[in-house]
């Protein structure tokens, strides 16, 4: 058996992952969410933050001076504020990286290099280091220094062009497509290279482009376009495409019902439940506007709650368009413990929506405040001596004592 297989032989995977140490330099959602996923998988994540609070700590909603946006992303992570503009701060990272397995960062390309903590610099210290870089257009792209946010990437990748409002304008997605996709691809790539490292003994610089991650969501449409030469919208093969039996319908109370009864058995059951047995033999076509209007008229006869009761347990792929509050009360959300409470020193219990890889059997979920003992614990855990930590605090290379004083004043 190869070494890579032996890595998992006779071991508990969660226990194995708990030994993986991650330094998170991310300051934006893609990198922050990626390290959250790694933390949920069981890895030890330590955030490296600037001495002054970053943007994430100020984003709403803010309660008692604490950003719920920030804390939704940083459960179970330890935190360490370091002044990376000081040589001592950079030297500290050089010391810490000897004990680290993974680094996550989402600065523009070359920023980490200029700080003295880029992949080439740190891999010389730790050749087994896996270094994840998430950027807009990739490390070596001609656009590598071009700024961008999720809206730019979904616009440029063609995602926005696939779905339009009634007036013809593109529909702005309700989720940050490139942010979430790049976080997922980043976590997947880290996991892959951790396994490879057990065979090769070597680290890796992982280059994730947010533009590419956004574009990757259109992979089926891309194949159709490149083979036929026809635009997916014009050719009628953009997925998901609206059809009479794959559509949103307004109810009597102006709520909406999502109908996805594509397969014949589902369609026939749907027709029965709305009281239109006469429609069952119809072969549904995408451009059948008459059938769409007929279904719309039927659905508008009842409130959403009535339709939800009618279709409950019907197994024909019909669902209410829930609010977020309603989604959190659904049976799967409750049964699978998708929401947990992170204990915060100021806010108390902070509800957290976990990721699908979260270990739901863990006894404690914490939102760590900035205290000197946390910095000391992190640094000693990564190989420093207590007197070394004292020197760093006195030189204000790390922010420990001042934060402890601030925390005590809040109480």
């Amino acid at each position: 058996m190869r070494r890579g297989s032996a890595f998992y032989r006779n071991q508990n995977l969660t226990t194995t992952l708990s030994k993986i140490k991650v330094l998170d330099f991310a300051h934006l959602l893609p990198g922050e969410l990626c390290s959250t996923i790694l933390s949920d998988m069981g890895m030890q994540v330590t955030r490296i933050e600037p001495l002054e609070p970053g943007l994430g700590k100020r984003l709403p909603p803010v309660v008692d001076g604490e950003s719920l946006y920030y804390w939704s992303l940083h459960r179970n992570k330890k935190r360490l504020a370091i002044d990376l503009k000081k040589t001592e701060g950079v030297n500290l990272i050089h010391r810490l990286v000897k004990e680290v397995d993974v680094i996550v960062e989402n600065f523009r390309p070359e920023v980490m290099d200029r700080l003295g903590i880029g992949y080439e610099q740190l891999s010389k210290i730790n050749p087994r280091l896996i270094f994840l870089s998430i950027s807009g257009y990739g490390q070596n792209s001609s656009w590598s220094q071009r700024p961008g946010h999720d809206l730019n990437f979904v616009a440029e990748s063609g995602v926005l062009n696939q779905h339009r409002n009634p007036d013809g304008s593109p529909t702005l997605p309700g989720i940050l497509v490139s942010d979430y996709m790049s976080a997922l691809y980043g976590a997947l790539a880290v996991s892959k290279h951790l396994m490879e490292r057990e065979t090769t003994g070597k680290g890796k610089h992982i280059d994730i482009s947010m533009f590419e991650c956004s574009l990757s969501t259109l992979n089926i449409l891309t194949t159709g376009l490149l083979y036929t030469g026809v635009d997916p919208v014009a050719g009628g093969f953009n997925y998901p495409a609206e059809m009479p039996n794959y559509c949103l319908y307004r109810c009597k109370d102006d709520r909406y019902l999502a109908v996805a009864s594509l397969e014949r058995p589902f369609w026939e059951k749907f027709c029965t439940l709305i009281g239109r047995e006469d429609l069952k033999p119809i072969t549904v076509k995408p451009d059948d506007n008459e059938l769409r209007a007929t279904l719309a008229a039927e659905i508008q006869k009842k409130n959403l709650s009535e339709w939800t009761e009618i279709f409950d347990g019907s197994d024909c792929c019909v669902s209410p368009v829930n609010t977020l509050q309603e989604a959190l009360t659904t049976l799967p959300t409750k049964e699978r413990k998708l929401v947990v409470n992170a204990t915060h020193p100021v806010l108390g219990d902070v509800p957290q929506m976990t990721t699908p890889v979260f270990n739901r059997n863990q006894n404690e979920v914490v939102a760590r405040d900035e205290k000197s003992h946390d910095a000391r614990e992190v640094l000693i855990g990564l190989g420093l001596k207590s007197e070394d930590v004292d020197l760093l605090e006195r030189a204000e290379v790390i922010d420990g004592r001042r934060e402890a004083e601030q925390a005590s004043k809040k109480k």
Side-chain angles (χ1 to χ4, degrees), residues 21-320:
K21 297 178 180 179
V22 180
L23 289 187
D24 172 20
F25 289 84
H27 65 293
L28 294 171
L29 178 58
E32 292 174 319
L33 178 58
C34 179
S35 68
T36 298
I37 295 171
L38 298 180
S39 175
D40 282 357
M41 292 170 68
M43 301 183 198
Q44 300 178 41
V45 177
T46 299
R47 278 189 55 75
I48 305 299
E49 300 183 335
L51 298 188
E52 297 300 324
L55 174 63
K57 295 180 184 178
R58 302 193 301 270
L59 292 177
V62 176
V63 179
D64 292 336
E66 299 286 339
S67 166
L68 294 181
Y69 167 95
Y70 179 88
W71 288 115
S72 71
L73 293 169
H74 300 308
R75 60 180 168 273
N76 288 343
K77 300 177 186 178
K78 295 179 180 179
R79 301 164 63 213
L80 181 58
I82 302 178
D83 188 349
L84 294 176
K85 295 179 181 179
K86 291 183 178 180
T87 302
E88 297 92 334
V90 174
N91 290 340
L92 176 58
I93 297 298
H94 288 185
R95 294 174 67 180
L96 299 182
V97 80
K98 296 175 184 178
E99 304 296 327
V100 167
D101 299 282
V102 179
I103 279 182
V104 176
E105 64 94 5
N106 62 198
F107 292 101
R108 286 198 215 183
E110 300 178 8
V111 169
M112 293 287 280
D113 296 326
R114 290 198 296 270
L115 289 171
I117 52 175
Y119 175 70
E120 294 299 330
Q121 294 142 326
L122 297 186
S123 63
K124 291 177 182 177
I125 301 171
N126 180 359
R128 290 172 56 83
L129 181 66
I130 294 171
F131 193 105
L132 171 64
S133 295
I134 300 176
S135 63
Y137 302 96
Q139 299 296 299
N140 302 314
S141 166
S142 298
W143 286 6
S144 65
Q145 298 303 311
R146 183 170 174 171
H149 286 295
D150 185 83
L151 180 58
N152 304 110
F153 305 131
V154 295
E156 293 166 350
S157 64
V159 169
L160 285 187
N161 196 52
Q162 299 308 310
H163 304 283
R164 295 179 175 273
N165 296 311
D167 63 1
S169 62
T171 301
L172 185 66
I175 60 171
L176 300 166
V177 176
S178 70
D179 285 4
Y180 276 81
M181 290 301 294
S182 57
L184 290 170
Y185 281 130
L188 179 62
V190 166
S191 303
K192 169 182 180 289
H193 289 294
L194 281 171
M195 292 183 67
E196 282 188 354
R197 189 181 70 173
E198 293 305 307
T199 301
T200 66
K202 298 179 181 179
K204 181 79 173 180
H205 188 189
I206 303 170
D207 179 8
I208 297 291
S209 157
M210 295 175 67
F211 169 77
E212 293 172 20
C213 291
S214 181
L215 187 61
S216 74
T217 63
L218 303 179
N219 63 324
I220 298 174
L221 304 189
T222 299
T223 298
L225 169 64
L226 294 177
Y227 190 84
T228 66
V230 179
D231 181 86
V233 177
F237 57 84
N238 57 317
Y239 302 104
E242 195 174 89
M243 298 173 61
N245 58 344
Y246 195 89
C247 194
L248 299 175
Y249 289 102
R250 187 193 299 268
C251 302
K252 184 178 180 180
D253 55 356
D254 290 332
R255 298 290 302 275
Y256 283 84
L257 193 70
V259 176
S261 304
L262 288 172
E263 292 84 355
R264 173 57 59 178
F266 295 161
W267 167 250
E268 292 179 354
K269 187 66 175 289
F270 170 75
C271 293
T272 298
L273 290 174
I274 66 171
R276 294 298 303 263
E277 297 268 357
D278 58 307
L279 300 177
K280 290 168 65 173
I282 291 178
T283 299
V284 182
K285 298 178 182 179
D287 56 353
D288 193 336
N289 293 325
E290 183 177 347
L291 176 59
R292 192 194 312 269
T294 298
L295 296 179
E298 293 295 337
I299 299 302
Q300 203 154 22
K301 291 178 180 179
K302 300 181 188 300
N303 293 330
L304 178 63
S305 60
E306 297 176 273
W307 285 123
T308 299
E309 185 175 350
I310 288 170
F311 284 105
D312 184 36
S314 65
D315 294 334
C316 61
C317 301
V318 176
S319 305

Side-chain angles (χ1 to χ4, degrees), residues 348-384:
D349 286 342
V350 180
Q352 304 277 290
M353 171 59 67
T354 63
T355 60
V357 296
F358 182 76
N359 175 17
R360 293 162 197 161
N361 294 321
Q362 59 183 285
N363 296 323
E364 185 181 24
V365 180
V366 297
R368 293 178 179 269
D369 200 5
E370 298 155 327
K371 296 183 179 179
S372 60
H373 73 267
D374 197 29
R376 185 172 297 274
E377 176 188 342
V378 170
L379 292 173
I380 291 177
L382 289 171
L384 271 70

